[in-house]
Structure formats: C-alpha cells, structure tokens
C-alpha cells in the first residue's frame, strides 16, 4: 500500500504533514509513503525513514493560486507530482492539505474519473449527536457549483459504498437534503432527484431530510448539490465556532464564580468540543476518481493528518474504489 | 394603527397568542387589535378589552393542511379573515403563528404584492456574535424554491429598506451568500446576481459572503435563494440545538463536580442561550406585499408574540412598506 503525500500543502506544511505521517506510521508501519516537496525541509521532521521516500521538488501550489491555472502551469508542484504518481501506477492514493480547487482539478485531470461517474463530488463524514452518534457521509461539499439529478444519484451510490465498506454500516440510510419531508417539496433539482433515488435499487433511500435534523443522525448518507452542501457545511462550522466563542467570552466575563465553574466543567466542555471535531473521521474524499484523493483542512495539525492517513488506509484495504468500478461495470453489463 | 391577529395559529393558540397581545398592549396601548378566532376561547385570555375586537370564526387552518388547498377552501379561517381585513382596509398588518405555507399563499393571494416586486420573500433578523452584535436580515428563507437573479436584487432592496427604517442601521452592508468571496465564484444564479447587485445604486453591496461568516456579523443584510436560505436557517437552528443538548448531557454525565460547575456557570450559559435567541428581533416578514404580514414560530410563547407585535408596530410606524412602494414608483417614473 503506497500513499503519495503532498508534503507542502497546508498552512503548517511540511511540519504538520510529515509529523502526521510519522504518527500514522507507528500504527500502520506497512504503508509506503512517498513525500513530495522540498527535501531539506521535509527531512527535518522525518524521524523514521523506513518505508519513506522523499521526492524532491521546489515548486508548490499556493493556497491563493487560481486552481486551473496552477494545475496547468505548475506541473512540477508537489501536489501535481503526487497525483501523477497515482496516474503512473507508482502510488495507490493521494493525500493533500493544500489548495482545494487545485486538488479537485488535479484529481479530475491527472488521476481521472471512473468512466461512468459524470461528476465526482467532495464527501466528508460529519458528526452526529445523541444516541446514534456514528456520523453521516455528506456530499457534494462544493466540488460542483451546479448539479443535475443524475449526479446526486451518483453521490447516493458512492456514499452508500463508502458507508458500507469504510465505515462498516449495514444497509446505510440515504437521505436527500430538502426543504421539507414530503415527496412534493423542493426545487426542480430535488423533486427530480427524489424520483430517481426512489427507483435506484442499490441504495436504501429513506426520503427527504431537513437541514435541522442532519446532526441528530437522521440518515447515514445525505446527498445534495455542491452549492447547498458547501453552504450547509460552512454554516455548521460557523455556528459551532460562534457558540463556542460566546461560551468562552461569557465564562471570561462572569467573574471568579464563572471561572471556578468552568474549571469544574472542564471535562464536560472538552466533551462538547470533542463531539464537534469531525477530523477523527478523516478528511474530505474527492469521490468518483480512479483512486482515493483525500483532502484535509489547510490549518490541520499532525493528529488530523494521521486520522486522514488511517482513513485512506481503510479505503485502500476495503477496496472501496474497486467496488465502485465493478458496480458500474456490472451495471453496464446488465443494461446491455 | 390596527393589527389583524390570527388568534388560532400555532401550537399554543389561542392562549400564547392572546397572552402575547396582552403583553404588547401594556407597552403599546394605542394599537387596535382585531383577534380572529373562537370567541369563547379567546375571551378567556383577554385581560383588557380596550382597543381589542374579537371577530368570531369556528374555522381554522391546521398546521398540516396543504397550504394552497386550505387557502382556497377555508375562506372563513381565522388566518384568511385576518388577511382579508387588511385587503379591505380594515387593518394595517397581519400577524400569525400558523401554517407558514398557508400564510404565504394568503399573503400573495389576499393581501397582494407590491406591483413591481415579482417575488416576495421571507425575511428574518438573525443574531450575530461578537462586537458587532446587531444581527443581520436574511432572505429568502424559503418562500420560493427557485429564484432568478432579479428576485435577489429585490431582496437586497427590501432588506436595505428594512435594516435602515426598522432597525435604524445607516447605510446597511448587503452581502450575497456564496461559496467563495471572489466575484467569479458560485453557480449561475449567484454569478449573475453579483453583477446586478454591483450595479444597483440604491444599495451598499459589499460582495459575496460565506456561510461561515454569517453569524460573525459580516453584513447587515444577506440575500440568497429560498432553497439555500431555508437550508442555512435550519442548519443554524439544528447546530445550535445540537450543541446546547450535548452541553447539557455532558454536564449531567459529569457527576457532582460538573453539576456544581454548571450552577456556578448558570449566568454564562444563560447568556449563550440569550445570544442565540433571535425571537427578540421579532418574527419572519413576508416582504414585498402591500402590508406587513408577519409570521412567528408555531411553538412560540407569549414573549415572542409580544416581540413580533412590537416589530410590526415599528414597521408601521416607520412606514417601511410605503417606503418600498414609493421607491419602486419613483424608479418606474425615472426609467420612463
């Protein structure tokens, strides 16, 4: 199992990336890592060279580079070389914490789509609260600004494969994000998508789900168009950050009594923060490509990098991409 | 100033509604209230009959009635009679906590649009955290499932009028909800809308805003299509509720130490809850009609009803609807 790592992507690269790889290596010593980037800088953080190769390049894609231009002009960037390693059969998956748009472009142009999947999408597992806190797979998070109903069916099929194989959920419940539960609710896109999902035999479609219910675990897989998915994901993040910050402010403003309370409540508050942290589920998968291409937050630390490496390891071990490829190949066969 | 009140709408009607009216009356004794609904039930909660008229009807629209059907068939429902009172010039505004879809339909069909406004939208003021915590006006929250760019310009103009006149904000900053800050980001709708907003002289357009920044007060007015607006509003609600409930659970699970901490932190936690409660801003306005039609949550209590009455009072006092009507009339004049 060989993972191509863009060691230069993200705000804390290469330090956080290489330290994360070293953390992951302890648990998963059999993975071969190919680290792409500035050799001298990367070397400083490599504490164990076994199964590690450094492929030097001085070029990197910056977080504010225009994605398509960057992909065309910076062919020797660490991210591009990592994607090329997968294309050339030298690696099995790509990891990056760099420019999301550029990684999407590199994934589509270099790694390539599974032929029958028209629109790969960005998927992540988000946390759910309460009794059923196994999280849910949410896509598209913004790989596409416009989607057709057929794309959302692709997401439902991909999300089902992921939930089953990578997260071990039997018969995952698939929901369509909509502005009401009834079949007749929604815009043109969701109304048409509802009919297609209802008639898709390979998934367990439970109907429309509303945004208010997402975090309570109403479904295991939730599909939506990339524009809405992006807005919902960022709203969850913004609301959670906002609440945690006013909670902190209120505690600081509440005098000695409040501060004592906060000390006593430390574990409970930590617990809340932990419930909100979805980095333990790994990064965002650009799903529908010939190999796993996985992205984690640019501001990520070593632990989140290690979680994402583990996620990629599970994706490779369970052959989720091959599963999708043969599902679509078989579908083509039977429809002939 | 005469407000037509649908006394039968909402889960706690008529009790919560009439009690809320009584609360509002104490501060605003000059408002004339017309309470539509079952006279015997309403009477129980009226503690002061001055400036209060009860218009009896046995019919009411239920929360699960199909909106358009209900509006067509239940012409004598309390909500419909309240809307008709405005149409007939007997009242100046409508208040309801009932079926949202039916109120939208009643507003459009009975009260009627301002002629130049093609698509009235649902608008509410949401809270913002931090230094600039004056909230922001957000629309469309779901009156329309599909929107054209021109509709979003209407929302920007209406939101600006509301923020200026009702909330007293000088030169309100208008943002377009989008999946990136750059002018070129987004889907077809947001890209076209951006160009129209940039060229609309009557507003202070500050560009795209992302969902992550909404609650931090990045703009005073934020416009989006009804599908996205609905998803974002419900995501904020769901995330806030989810976090407050895991916080509560964590405190309950954290033993005597944690419970003591919670007692000490009581004021801080109350403060957080207060920051999240946007009922103080009033209800959701169906904006673009010939008179204020304002909706509050079905599960609302008397305080929130009173807040919404005060909001309607301010809308009437500042003539925000007339302001819109003359803005569009003047625009028609100058474009001739």
């Amino acid at each position: 199992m060989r993972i191509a790592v863009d060691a230069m992507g993200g705000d804390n690269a290469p330090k956080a990336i290489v330290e994360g790889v070293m953390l992951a290596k302890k648990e998963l010593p059999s993975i071969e890592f190919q680290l792409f980037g500035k050799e001298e800088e990367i070397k400083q953080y490599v504490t164990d060279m076994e199964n590690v190769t450094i492929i030097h390049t001085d070029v990197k894609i910056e977080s504010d580079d225009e994605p398509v231009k960057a992909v065309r002009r910076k062919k020797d960037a660490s991210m591009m070389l990592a994607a090329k390693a997968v294309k050339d059969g030298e690696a099995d998956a790509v990891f990056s914490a760099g420019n999301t748009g550029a990684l999407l472009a590199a994934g589509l142009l270099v790694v390539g789509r599974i032929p029958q999947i028209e629109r790969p999408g960005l998927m992540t597992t988000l946390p759910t609260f309460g009794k059923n806190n196994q999280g849910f797979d949410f896509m598209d998070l913004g790989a596409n600004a416009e989607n057709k109903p057929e794309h959302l069916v692709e997401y439902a099929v991909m999300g089902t494969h992921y939930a089953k194989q990578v997260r071990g959920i039997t018969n995952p419940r698939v929901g369509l994000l909509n502005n009401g539960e009834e079949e007749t609710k929604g815009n043109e896109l969701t109304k048409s998508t509802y009919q297609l999902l209802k008639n898709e035999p390979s998934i367990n479609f439970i109907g429309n789900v509303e945004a208010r219910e997402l975090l309570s675990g109403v479904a295991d897989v939730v599909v939506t168009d990339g524009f809405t998915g992006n807005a919902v994901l960022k709203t969850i993040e913004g609301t959670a950050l906002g609440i945690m910050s006013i909670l902190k402010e209120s505690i600081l403003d509440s005098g000695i009594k409040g501060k004592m309370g906060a000390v006593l409540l430390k574990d409970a508050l930590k617990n809340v923060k932990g419930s909100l942290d979805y980095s333990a589920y790994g990064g965002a998968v650009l799903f529908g490509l010939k190999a796993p291409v996985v992205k984690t937050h640019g501001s990520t630390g070593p632990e989140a990098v290690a979680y994402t490496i583990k996620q990629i390891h599970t994706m490779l071990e369970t052959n989720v991409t091959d599963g999708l490829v043969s599902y679509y190949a078989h579908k083509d066969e039977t429809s002939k």
Side-chain angles (χ1 to χ4, degrees), chain A:
Chain A
M1 191 178 291
R2 302 155 306 169
I3 301 181
V5 175
D6 167 17
M8 307 309 286
D11 309 338
N12 312 313
K15 187 172 186 289
I17 310 301
V18 181
E19 286 178 355
V21 166
M22 293 300 127
L23 272 179
K25 263 177 74 66
K26 282 184 193 156
E27 267 187 67
L28 303 162
S30 67
I31 301 176
E32 291 173 37
F33 288 102
Q34 298 161 12
L35 309 182
F36 294 83
K38 295 194 181 170
E39 187 167 9
E40 282 311 306
E41 289 187 34
I42 292 171
K43 259 187 176 167
Q44 294 175 44
Y45 308 105
V46 176
T47 50
D48 169 10
M49 272 301 287
E50 209 188 326
N51 280 338
V52 172
T53 317
I54 302 175
I55 297 100
H56 175 77
T57 176
D58 276 325
V59 189
K60 66 178 254 200
I61 293 178
E62 306 291 338
S63 64
D64 56 355
D65 275 347
E66 203 283 302
V68 178
K69 262 190 216 162
V71 165
R72 284 205 192 121
R73 294 185 189 165
K74 293 186 171 177
K75 298 244 184 267
D76 289 332
S78 52
M79 183 195 284
M80 298 303 291
L81 294 181
K84 196 166 171 291
V86 169
K87 189 196 174 189
D88 294 344
E90 284 157 20
D92 304 305
V94 182
F95 167 88
S96 178
N99 184 317
T100 308
L103 188 65
L104 296 180
L108 289 167
L109 300 173
V110 181
V111 177
R113 289 184 295 115
I114 294 174
Q116 297 90 341
I117 292 179
E118 202 183 327
R119 284 289 182 92
L122 207 53
M123 191 205 78
T124 204
T125 306
L126 288 172
T128 50
F129 306 148
K131 285 158 213 157
N132 172 19
N133 55 358
Q134 61 187 5
F136 68 101
D137 299 315
F138 190 41
M139 81 189 289
D140 176 21
L141 301 175
N144 307 285
E146 313 272 356
N147 280 115
K148 289 185 207 160
E150 291 74 19
H151 304 153
L152 271 66
V153 177
E154 292 175 355
Y155 300 156
V157 169
M158 289 194 268
T160 296
H161 274 252
Y162 188 89
K164 269 188 193 165
Q165 292 189 242
V166 179
R167 302 206 299 125
I169 296 170
T170 333
N171 203 22
R173 299 160 300 154
V174 177
L176 170 65
L177 185 67
N178 207 343
N179 59 7
E181 285 182 11
E182 302 86 344
E183 185 167 341
T184 52
K185 285 274 179 161
N187 55 17
E188 290 307 313
L189 175 66
T190 56
K191 282 187 229 171
S192 307
T193 303
Y194 191 102
Q195 297 309 318
L196 295 180
L197 289 174
K198 213 171 74 173
N199 293 308
E200 170 58 45
S202 75
I203 62 164
N204 172 21
F205 181 51
I206 59 162
N208 291 325
V209 298
E210 289 206 66
R212 198 186 278 115
E213 308 298 327
L214 285 179
L215 299 185
S216 66
V218 69
D220 303 305
V221 174
V222 177
V223 297
T224 187
D225 67 281
F227 188 85
T228 309
N230 190 271
V232 165
L233 176 70
K234 287 178 180 166
T235 303
I236 293 174
E237 290 177 353
T239 308
L241 282 174
I243 294 178
M244 295 315 276
S245 83
I246 49 169
L247 186 59
K248 209 174 150 185
E249 252 173 59
S250 299
I251 290 172
L252 289 174
D253 288 351
S254 63
I256 185 75
K257 206 177 84 176
K259 278 180 206 99
M260 272 173 62
V263 171
L264 292 169
L265 261 184
K266 210 175 148 194
D267 293 339
L269 294 174
K270 228 181 187 167
N271 190 12
V272 174
K273 237 181 152 178
S275 305
L276 290 168
D277 178 19
Y278 57 93
S279 72
Y281 291 114
V285 181
L286 181 57
F287 220 5
L289 301 181
K290 287 175 183 161
V293 173
V294 186
K295 162 83 177 62
T296 184
H297 262 294
S299 59
T300 221
E303 290 76 17
V305 172
Y307 284 134
T308 306
I309 302 279
K310 276 186 226 168
Q311 172 197 21
I312 297 174
H313 177 263
T314 313
M315 288 184 74
L316 290 171
E317 202 177 45
T318 58
N319 284 314
V320 65
T321 306
D322 294 345
L324 266 178
V325 169
S326 47
Y327 167 80
Y328 277 108
H330 180 73
K331 209 181 164 196
D332 276 4
E333 278 301 311
T334 52
S335 67
K336 263 174 200 160

